[in-house]
Amino acid sequence: MKNKLNKITLLLIASAFITNIVFAAEFLFNSETKNININDEFKVDLQVNTEGEYANAFEGKIVFPINLLEIKEIREGDSMVNFWINRPINTDSGVVFSGITPGGYTGNAGKLFSIVFTAKSAGNGSVSVENGTVLKNDGEGTGLSLKISNLDFSVNSTASSSQTKIEQIADIYPPETFAPEV
C-alpha cells in the first residue's frame, strides 16, 4: 500500500511540473565557421526559435569582444522582420535592434539579420545578446521567457595567406513603382 502511495505522489508531482511548462523563445547564432584567422571575415546570422509560439516583436543588443572583432557590415535585407523600429545599428556598446512582424512568426530558425565580422586579433570569445525581448503575438505584448545560445569562436594568431572574404551583396534591383494615396 505504501509503495502505491509513493507512485501516486510521484505521478501528481510530475503532472504538476508538466502543466506548468513555460513557453519560451530562443535567440541563437548561426555561422558556417567558428575558427578563423586574423583578417578573415565571417558572417553570423541572428535567428529566433519561437518554440511553437507566435511572436511578433524582437529586440536586444548584440555584444562581442571589440578587441577581437570588428563589424564590417550589417545585413537585414533577408530578414523575417517586416518593420524595424530601430534598424540593427552598431553602437559603442554593441549592435542594437528592435523590430516587429505583424501577424507573428512561428518557427525554429527565423533570421533577424546578419553581421559580417573581421577578425582583428587572436583569442577566444563569444557573440551574445543582452537585454533581449521576444513578445507574443497575442495583442497584449506578453513577453516570452528567452533563452540565449551564444556563438563561441576562436581567432588563430596566424594571418592566412588567402584571407577569407564574405561576398558583397549588390542591390541591383530598383524599387517597385508605387503611387501614394490618401
Side-chain angles (χ1 to χ4, degrees):
M1 182 72 172
K2 186 174 183 178
N3 195 15
K4 190 173 183 177
L5 282 175
N6 286 341
K7 287 181 182 179
I8 292 172
T9 304
L10 183 62
L11 184 62
L12 288 173
I13 291 171
S15 66
F17 283 112
I18 290 171
T19 59
N20 289 328
I21 293 175
V22 176
F23 292 103
E26 177 183 22
F27 278 142
L28 55 133
F29 295 96
N30 185 21
S31 180
E32 292 180 8
T33 182
K34 296 176 185 171
N35 192 9
I36 51 179
N37 296 318
I38 294 175
N39 297 325
D40 281 353
E41 294 176 358
F42 70 108
K43 184 174 71 125
V44 176
D45 298 331
L46 175 61
Q47 299 175 329
V48 64
N49 176 359
T50 64
E51 297 186 2
E53 288 291 315
Y54 276 89
N56 67 355
F58 315 91
E59 79 172 338
K61 177 172 65 170
I62 308 288
V63 293
F64 57 92
I66 59 174
N67 61 321
L68 300 180
L69 301 178
E70 179 178 296
I71 293 180
K72 179 181 179 198
E73 179 181 9
I74 298 174
R75 299 178 178 175
E76 26 95 2
D78 56 351
S79 174
M80 44 75 67
V81 172
N82 299 94
F83 300 103
W84 288 106
I85 307 303
N86 291 313
R87 288 190 178 280
I89 186 166
N90 188 16
T91 67
D92 291 339
S93 61
V95 176
V96 294
F97 65 94
S98 64
I100 58 173
T101 301
Y105 166 82
T106 184
N108 61 3
K111 186 194 285 188
L112 298 177
F113 58 92
S114 302
I115 303 173
V116 177
F117 288 105
T118 302
K120 296 190 323 186
S121 62
N124 298 318
S126 67
V127 180
S128 182
V129 176
E130 287 183 352
N131 304 321
T133 303
V134 176
L135 302 180
K136 279 176 89 170
N137 185 41
D138 62 359
E140 298 182 19
T142 306
L144 292 170
S145 64
L146 185 62
K147 296 185 287 187
I148 309 291
S149 293
N150 298 342
L151 173 74
D152 297 323
F153 65 90
S154 177
V155 179
N156 300 319
S157 60
T158 58
S160 62
S161 58
S162 61
Q163 296 175 354
T164 304
K165 298 288 183 188
I166 301 297
E167 182 181 334
Q168 293 280 343
I169 297 177
D171 185 6
I172 59 172
Y173 301 104
E176 294 181 21
T177 57
F178 69 97
E181 296 180 22
V182 177

